[in-house]
Amino acid sequence: LTATLFATTPLSSAAFDLPQDQQQQQHPDSPLLQVLVAGAGILLFLAASRRQWRCHQILASLRTGASTAYRIPRGDWFEVVSSPHYLAEVLIYAALFLLNCGCGSSGLWLWALVVLFVAANL
């Protein structure tokens, strides 16, 4: 029954659309604000990508030679969180969300699809 419901329901973001006056309140048309949000998105993307690369370097260095022993990663964000490479990935997706459009119905719809994609591939 559930699969039939999803198969017959057309996918539309119209259900998530806000009235026009509320959209204007959430999305000021200030070019300066758009540039600042885009700049923050680019900086966050670059910083999170670099951090994820560094975490993968640390994880790759744990297996040297034919050793199969498990070692606990040390350094960088591993001292603060248990899975910093996943945290960096979430930050990358947050940066893409900022670059997409920040807020709004289409941005939220895309964000929901990205979260489902990531959760399905864990």
Side-chain angles (χ1 to χ4, degrees):
L1 177 66
T2 308
T4 306
L5 177 65
F6 286 126
T8 59
T9 305
L11 293 176
S12 170
S13 66
F16 300 105
D17 286 342
L18 297 172
Q20 192 67 17
D21 59 336
Q22 290 180 359
Q23 286 182 6
Q24 290 298 329
Q25 291 173 359
Q26 288 187 354
H27 294 295
D29 293 329
S30 167
L32 177 61
L33 181 62
Q34 291 175 356
V35 168
L36 289 174
V37 169
I42 290 169
L43 289 175
L44 180 60
F45 180 82
L46 292 173
S49 296
R50 168 77 168 85
R51 186 63 55 191
Q52 187 180 41
W53 175 77
R54 180 67 186 128
C55 291
H56 285 158
Q57 261 189 334
I58 292 171
L59 289 172
S61 71
L62 295 178
R63 293 286 176 123
T64 55
S67 172
T68 59
Y70 177 77
R71 295 186 304 179
I72 297 174
R74 298 280 181 209
D76 206 44
W77 281 2
F78 284 102
E79 303 297 329
V80 181
V81 295
S82 60
S83 300
H85 51 296
Y86 288 133
L87 175 60
E89 186 169 345
V90 168
L91 292 175
I92 289 170
Y93 288 125
L96 293 176
F97 177 70
L98 284 175
L99 288 171
N100 180 43
C101 68
C103 299
S105 61
S106 62
L108 292 176
W109 184 248
L110 179 64
W111 182 254
L113 290 177
V114 165
V115 167
L116 289 174
F117 174 78
V118 171
N121 288 302
L122 285 179

